[in-house]
Amino acid sequence: LKMVILKFLLSWLGFCLWNTNCELLNQYESDGINYWASLTTFIPIRNATYGQIQIKNKMFFQWDLFWYDVVPNGTDYENIFRIGNAGFDVTSCNEHAHRYPGLYINTNTKKLQIAISDTTDCWGSHYEQIDFTLTPNTKYAFTMQYTQETLVIVCNGIPIYTGNRLGITPNNT
């Protein structure tokens, strides 16, 4: 048994030395309050949770996205990320932080949708006017920052949205 395991490990090691895609996935670090960072390539799994961070009145995000194309799964939106409670337990707008903040792709138009819950719109859907279409097999570098008053999104160094928030961060987030 030891020889079989060793042989498997050596075969795997040879594969890893030959194949550059042999890195760990979905590794991150976080203090659970103010900071969360991916340490490796991140390929999220549906309905999985990766750490926690507190939702704040002011937040800054920076991420790279390599977008292959939409996944034909019969939904209107693909989720890139969402910070908040699990999406499958949303029952009403009285439960803020369920879509707060989130980045989605409209699968029909391939345009981004940013959702930030606030006191005006718990679903955060008033940012649908972002006119930015993703191109398949393309890498993007994003930054997003919001305060109680403003939201700014930059892609590859070019602002794709700058505007005022219509509401403020709810106290019950």
Side-chain angles (χ1 to χ4, degrees):
L1 180 62
K2 290 180 183 178
M3 183 60 98
V4 172
I5 292 172
L6 180 58
K7 187 175 183 178
F8 171 75
L9 289 174
L10 289 174
S11 297
W12 183 80
L13 179 60
F15 174 77
C16 286
L17 292 174
W18 177 74
N19 183 348
T20 59
N21 292 327
C22 198
E23 64 182 84
L24 294 173
L25 295 176
N26 302 352
Q27 302 296 305
Y28 64 90
E29 66 181 11
S30 174
D31 68 0
I33 300 169
N34 297 308
Y35 171 77
W36 185 100
S38 174
L39 301 174
T40 62
T41 299
F42 219 82
I43 302 175
I45 299 168
R46 185 180 175 99
N47 292 329
T49 300
Y50 299 98
Q52 61 184 357
I53 187 170
Q54 288 183 357
I55 297 171
K56 305 284 187 174
N57 292 332
K58 298 177 184 180
M59 293 188 84
F60 174 83
F61 304 84
Q62 182 176 341
W63 70 97
D64 291 333
L65 171 68
F66 190 94
W67 189 64
Y68 293 96
D69 207 343
V70 295
V71 176
N73 61 8
T75 63
D76 291 333
Y77 294 94
E78 286 186 3
N79 178 267
I80 303 299
F81 71 79
R82 184 178 48 77
I83 299 173
N85 296 327
F88 54 80
D89 64 358
V90 175
T91 58
S92 74
C93 281
N94 294 326
E95 300 169 44
H96 283 283
H98 283 282
R99 298 181 73 167
Y100 192 135
L103 175 67
Y104 305 86
I105 299 170
N106 181 311
T107 57
N108 299 313
T109 65
K110 298 183 182 180
K111 290 188 177 187
L112 288 181
Q113 178 186 348
I114 307 298
I116 301 178
S117 298
D118 58 43
T119 53
T120 302
D121 178 5
C122 71
W123 295 105
S125 60
H126 45 245
Y127 300 106
E128 291 179 353
Q129 69 271 26
I130 296 173
D131 189 23
F132 186 80
T133 304
L134 295 169
T135 303
N137 300 310
T138 303
K139 183 178 179 179
Y140 299 95
F142 287 96
T143 58
M144 179 172 89
Q145 182 170 0
Y146 69 83
T147 66
Q148 290 284 59
E149 295 84 28
T150 61
L151 168 64
V152 177
I153 304 167
V154 176
C155 180
N156 297 336
I158 300 168
I160 61 172
Y161 183 86
T162 302
N164 294 326
R165 288 186 63 194
L166 301 179
I168 61 171
T169 303
N171 289 331
N172 59 345
T173 57

